[in-house]
Amino acid sequence: MNLKLTQVVSDITGVTGMAILRAIIAGERDPVTLATLRNPHCHHDEDDIAKALHGTWHAEPLFALPQALSLYAFYHQPLARCDQQIK
């Protein structure tokens, strides 16, 4: 999609990155609106994030994104259970 989110969000699986990815999956495409999902602890401001979210919204990556996020959640579950067991 030619987005530069990884240049303004250090951890794509963190609070800001996941909120933005979920909003994109839900259909939001406006960079300014997406940037408002920024966690206050994020180092970059909303303007920088909005600039990074200007891209091309092609159908193919938009189709693949929910699948990738679903796989991430699937693989994260056993890791969370291991963390609980360790605690």
Side-chain angles (χ1 to χ4, degrees), residues 6-22:
T6 57
Q7 292 180 0
V8 292
V9 176
S10 61
D11 181 8
I12 196 75
T13 62
V15 175
T16 299
M18 292 301 277
I20 290 172
L21 291 176
R22 288 186 183 113

Side-chain angles (χ1 to χ4, degrees), residues 2 4 8 31-32 35 45-55:
N2 204 24
K4 308 278 191 283
V8 292
V32 175
D45 61 20
E46 287 184 20
D47 290 336
D48 289 339
I49 294 173
K51 288 175 189 171
L53 292 172
H54 284 279

Side-chain angles (χ1 to χ4, degrees), residues 21-76:
L21 291 176
R22 288 186 183 113
I24 291 171
I25 289 170
E28 185 60 58
R29 302 291 181 266
D30 179 40
V32 175
T33 302
L34 291 168
T36 64
L37 300 173
R38 171 190 169 272
N39 182 289
H41 299 291
C42 187
H43 294 225
H44 290 273
D45 61 20
E46 287 184 20
D47 290 336
D48 289 339
I49 294 173
K51 288 175 189 171
L53 292 172
H54 284 279
T56 53
W57 302 99
H58 293 295
E60 296 86 0
L62 288 171
F63 174 78
L65 183 60
Q67 295 173 20
L69 201 57
S70 177
L71 281 172
Y72 170 79
F74 177 78
Y75 287 119
H76 193 266

